[in-house]
Amino acid sequence: MNRRHFLQYAGAVALSSQFPFAWADTPSPITIYGPGALPSLLLGVAKQRQQQGLSVIQETFNVETWRTPDVLRAGLANGSIQASIVPSYVAVNLANRGLDVKLVNIMTWGLVDIVGSAGSISSLKDLEGRSVAVPLRNDMPDLVLQALCKLQGVDFKKIKINYTATPAESMAYWLKDRVEFAVLNEPLTSVALMRGKSKSPERVLNLREIWRDLHDGNSQGLPQAGLLVSSAFYEQNREFLQHFQSELSSSLDWSLANTAEAAKIGSKLLDIPSPAIKAAIPHANLTVAAAADIREDLELFFKTLYDMNPQILGGSMPKDNFILSL
């Protein structure tokens, strides 16, 4: 990736919350929203497959990326957004604060890694006394790191945390040697490895694997984000949602088998250079797991966050009807 593409990418990550993308070929009452992150790639692939006549979905639908978490919350509250990929803990929080919303699926088993110089650490315990850039305080990367440290008996207060306002800023801290390590989501992790070759970089800790090891392999991973819908949207579009879930699974299979082509679609939707997306796809743990089929994984993750601070989930564990059975 050359410097121009890198700067374009870093700007896209920092500003994607300000400049949304809309993919709409025909007027349609159905719009699926997503963040400027890798799970939204599957929305773009599903849309293109429909345009090519390869989809099981008969209804036309549009795809848009939302601007900021505040825009997402406001859109769900006023009804302008009725279906969107969201961080899983945000979904529970919104439901517990009175929004009539349901979780349809999970679309990644973990996007978070810690980047550093090869061989520099082998466990979270090794981070004590070391400097780490962490984006978005009290958001998913930070919460995952705190949860894993607590489960492993690591003193989080002994880690020299440098919080940043954006993921791109955390990456820049590491690239400029302001910190020894950075907690990053894909595809930023892949970009950091490309840009930091002189630092002998690697994913020094895979947080999904740490989570799985802590639970003796009985968990599939960290259910970080999934599709949330309003109850009204579900009632009006039951058949569409059933077909959409199936189409997302087909889109995932196609994306994993055709990473170069999928990366081009993702680049258009996410405004991120396709080489970064192609490199990230194998490490993003993308999935299309029906929420009703993975209740134990969800409850384990949510209980871990609840035990840290109930307010992360809006004060309580999710109600039974929060998980949608299509």
Side-chain angles (χ1 to χ4, degrees), residues 54-102:
L54 302 174
S55 175
V56 298
I57 301 173
Q58 299 300 313
E59 302 91 338
T60 59
F61 67 95
N62 302 320
V63 173
E64 293 190 22
T65 53
W66 36 263
R67 300 184 176 193
T68 67
D70 286 340
V71 169
L72 169 67
R73 293 184 184 96
L76 288 168
N78 65 28
S80 61
I81 296 177
Q82 296 199 39
S84 179
I85 299 173
V86 302
S88 57
Y89 83 91
V90 171
V92 181
N93 188 291
L94 291 171
N96 281 337
R97 294 185 184 280
L99 290 184
D100 192 4
V101 291
K102 312 291 184 186

Side-chain angles (χ1 to χ4, degrees), residues 130-144:
R130 314 289 284 273
S131 57
V132 184
V134 179
L136 307 172
R137 187 171 191 168
N138 293 324
D139 209 331
M140 187 65 83
D142 183 30
L143 295 176
V144 168

Side-chain angles (χ1 to χ4, degrees), residues 4-320:
R4 179 174 64 86
H5 280 167
F6 167 71
L7 291 174
Q8 288 175 344
Y9 174 74
V13 171
L15 299 176
S16 62
S17 63
Q18 300 176 33
F19 298 99
F21 176 88
W23 192 338
D25 55 353
T26 58
S28 172
I30 299 176
T31 299
I32 309 297
Y33 292 81
L38 215 56
S40 294
L41 164 69
L42 300 184
L43 302 182
V45 172
K47 177 63 179 176
Q48 179 151 312
R49 281 171 53 84
Q50 187 192 52
Q51 291 173 328
Q52 295 173 340
L54 302 174
S55 175
V56 298
I57 301 173
Q58 299 300 313
E59 302 91 338
T60 59
F61 67 95
N62 302 320
V63 173
E64 293 190 22
T65 53
W66 36 263
R67 300 184 176 193
T68 67
D70 286 340
V71 169
L72 169 67
R73 293 184 184 96
L76 288 168
N78 65 28
S80 61
I81 296 177
Q82 296 199 39
S84 179
I85 299 173
V86 302
S88 57
Y89 83 91
V90 171
V92 181
N93 188 291
L94 291 171
N96 281 337
R97 294 185 184 280
L99 290 184
D100 192 4
V101 291
K102 312 291 184 186
L103 185 65
V104 177
N105 64 27
I106 286 296
M107 296 182 65
T108 175
W109 284 117
L111 293 165
V112 184
D113 289 304
I114 297 180
V115 173
S117 297
S120 53
I121 58 172
S122 60
S123 70
L124 287 173
K125 185 72 173 177
D126 294 338
L127 289 177
E128 292 183 359
R130 314 289 284 273
S131 57
V132 184
V134 179
L136 307 172
R137 187 171 191 168
N138 293 324
D139 209 331
M140 187 65 83
D142 183 30
L143 295 176
V144 168
L145 180 61
Q146 289 192 49
L148 291 175
C149 285
K150 181 178 180 181
L151 290 171
Q152 285 204 325
V154 176
D155 190 342
F156 189 76
K157 293 181 180 179
K158 290 184 178 180
I159 303 174
K160 299 175 182 178
I161 300 293
N162 288 257
Y163 285 112
T164 67
T166 67
E169 190 177 357
S170 284
M171 179 177 67
Y173 269 41
W174 179 72
L175 289 172
K176 295 177 180 179
D177 294 322
R178 295 180 63 179
V179 294
E180 296 173 87
F181 306 96
V183 177
L184 298 174
N185 276 338
E186 289 290 3
L188 260 186
T189 305
S190 294
V191 174
L193 296 180
M194 292 176 183
R195 292 291 298 170
K197 289 182 179 179
S198 64
K199 299 162 68 70
S200 300
E202 69 176 14
R203 296 173 178 84
V204 291
L205 292 177
N206 182 313
L207 300 191
R208 179 205 181 202
E209 290 307 312
I210 292 175
W211 172 265
R212 296 191 75 236
D213 289 345
L214 281 166
H215 298 95
D216 299 321
N218 293 321
S219 170
Q220 297 181 71
L222 294 157
Q224 277 190 242
L227 181 63
L228 187 76
V229 299
S230 69
S231 291
F233 182 91
Y234 169 62
E235 293 299 334
Q236 295 165 11
N237 300 283
R238 290 192 182 203
E239 185 174 356
F240 168 81
L241 270 179
Q242 291 170 350
H243 290 159
F244 191 65
Q245 175 73 0
S246 175
E247 180 53 44
L248 286 175
S249 294
S250 297
S251 297
L252 172 61
D253 292 342
W254 183 88
S255 297
L256 295 177
N258 301 274
T259 55
E261 291 302 311
K264 292 177 183 177
I265 297 171
S267 180
K268 177 181 177 182
L269 177 64
L270 303 177
D271 195 23
I272 295 171
S274 58
I277 296 177
K278 181 181 178 182
I281 288 173
H283 301 282
N285 300 304
L286 295 176
T287 186
V288 183
D293 294 339
I294 56 168
R295 285 180 180 271
E296 290 185 3
D297 283 289
L298 290 169
E299 289 173 1
L300 179 62
F301 184 59
F302 294 150
K303 183 64 164 57
T304 300
L305 297 179
Y306 179 84
D307 288 344
M308 283 175 49
N309 182 352
Q311 292 310 311
I312 294 172
L313 301 183
S316 67
M317 288 287 287
K319 308 297 187 293
D320 289 341

